[in-house]
Amino acid sequence: MTLKRSIVLLLLCLVSIHNVLAVEVTALPTELAVPGGIAIVPTNTMASRAHYNNDTVLLAEYEGEQYAIVGIPLSASIGEHAVTLQTSDGQEFTKHFQVTDKEYVEQRLTITNTRQVNPNNDDMVRINRESAQMREAFSSWDESLQPVFQMRPPVDGIRSSSFGLRRFFNDQPRAPHSGMDIAADEGTPIFAPAPGVIRATGNYFFNGNTIILDHGHGLITLYCHMNTIDVEPGMRVEAGEQIGKVGQTGRVTGPHLHWSVNLNNVRVDPALFLVE
Ligand SMILES: [Zn+2]
């Protein structure tokens, strides 16, 4: 490595260390520190980085104070949790918060296409490839985007409190439901609930026609089972812009939008972002 290149790299490092990554926001999401919820933790400082379970956490400046906006996984234990903060001068400290219990009820669904419950070997190859793609999109961290925490429902339909349901397909236990289902007729338009950049689109085994929309700083939303996808990866969309239409592609029992909200690589209850 040349000396010039080393100096450039060193300068880049210094710039990134001193860059305070908090974004100014005009509203916060609803706080609900339960598994599948959100903890809003005052940092009482100006941290430049925050981590929870090794994932980078969104730092927001709201009315002159800084907060770590922490997504809590559905699998989280009840009790004390910690977020680690780093300041630009290299100090590190820990803030604790309590996660309280929430009971999520059981849901039993019958799927007539049994391959969608017990996929064959070829299906598994496809499923593993697709989950890697989705994992990568969900771990995106784009600091050029300004996350917005207040969202309008992405589709006009019947919202159920379906997030977190402990699911059984054809009496077999599966992962808990990580989004909100909004029932609507096939073809009903779906709108971006907040501005962002389309991170990925695809036709996935379980999720059907899917969009992953990146709002910045780890706030990322997912739209599944769509009839049509009206956007392409890399496109910038504004709040209220149509991104697709409701369908019944993938593993479904009828037409609906499955909508997930991701914070620090964790699926949290979308209802905590809704304003209406
Ligand atoms: Zn769903």
Side-chain angles (χ1 to χ4, degrees), residues 145 192 194-201 211-214 229-238 241-243:
L145 299 170
V197 165
I198 305 299
R199 194 55 64 202
T201 64
I211 293 174
I212 297 181
L213 174 54
D214 193 343
I229 295 173
D230 299 346
V231 288
E232 279 169 23
M235 266 175 75
R236 226 197 141 86
V237 294
E238 296 307 321
E241 211 173 310
Q242 185 171 328
I243 55 173

Side-chain angles (χ1 to χ4, degrees), residues 144-182:
S144 70
L145 299 170
Q146 180 87 19
V148 172
F149 291 124
Q150 290 197 327
M151 301 185 187
R152 303 254 311 142
V155 70
D156 195 12
I158 302 156
R159 294 201 296 273
S160 54
S161 57
S162 54
F163 177 84
L165 294 178
R166 292 179 293 125
R167 279 199 153 164
F168 293 78
F169 290 105
N170 303 354
D171 289 328
Q172 297 174 47
R174 290 293 182 270
H177 189 235
S178 60
M180 173 190 277
D181 288 339
I182 307 174

Side-chain angles (χ1 to χ4, degrees), residues 60-237:
E61 251 182 271
Y62 174 67
E63 296 185 340
E65 298 289 330
Q66 192 192 55
Y67 300 90
I69 314 295
V70 188
I72 307 165
L74 274 165
S75 59
S77 57
I78 307 309
E80 192 170 81
H81 287 239
V83 56
T84 316
L85 304 170
Q86 276 122 18
T87 55
S88 54
D89 57 3
Q91 288 188 66
E92 192 173 289
F93 50 101
T94 303
K95 286 271 166 191
H96 293 278
F97 61 94
Q98 294 295 323
V99 173
T100 57
D101 201 5
K102 179 170 178 181
E103 276 293 315
Y104 290 106
V105 297
E106 262 181 26
Q107 184 185 40
R108 288 174 182 270
L109 295 170
T110 304
I111 302 290
T112 45
N113 180 351
T114 52
R115 251 176 74 191
Q116 290 177 330
V117 181
N118 297 109
N120 66 31
N121 287 346
D122 288 348
D123 296 336
M124 281 317 296
V125 172
R126 179 179 164 192
I127 290 163
N128 290 335
R129 186 179 63 233
E130 293 172 354
S131 23
Q133 283 168 12
M134 280 184 279
R135 262 200 311 278
E136 196 193 334
F138 273 132
S139 59
S140 161
W141 185 269
D142 190 330
E143 283 163 16
S144 70
L145 299 170
Q146 180 87 19
V148 172
F149 291 124
Q150 290 197 327
M151 301 185 187
R152 303 254 311 142
V155 70
D156 195 12
I158 302 156
R159 294 201 296 273
S160 54
S161 57
S162 54
F163 177 84
L165 294 178
R166 292 179 293 125
R167 279 199 153 164
F168 293 78
F169 290 105
N170 303 354
D171 289 328
Q172 297 174 47
R174 290 293 182 270
H177 189 235
S178 60
M180 173 190 277
D181 288 339
I182 307 174
D185 288 340
E186 187 140 9
T188 307
I190 299 166
F191 305 103
V197 165
I198 305 299
R199 194 55 64 202
T201 64
N203 178 272
Y204 298 129
F205 186 83
F206 291 122
N207 290 339
N209 287 331
T210 297
I211 293 174
I212 297 181
L213 174 54
D214 193 343
H215 307 282
H217 295 246
L219 178 65
I220 295 159
T221 52
L222 169 80
Y223 307 79
C224 301
H225 311 307
M226 301 169 79
N227 176 337
T228 57
I229 295 173
D230 299 346
V231 288
E232 279 169 23
M235 266 175 75
R236 226 197 141 86
V237 294

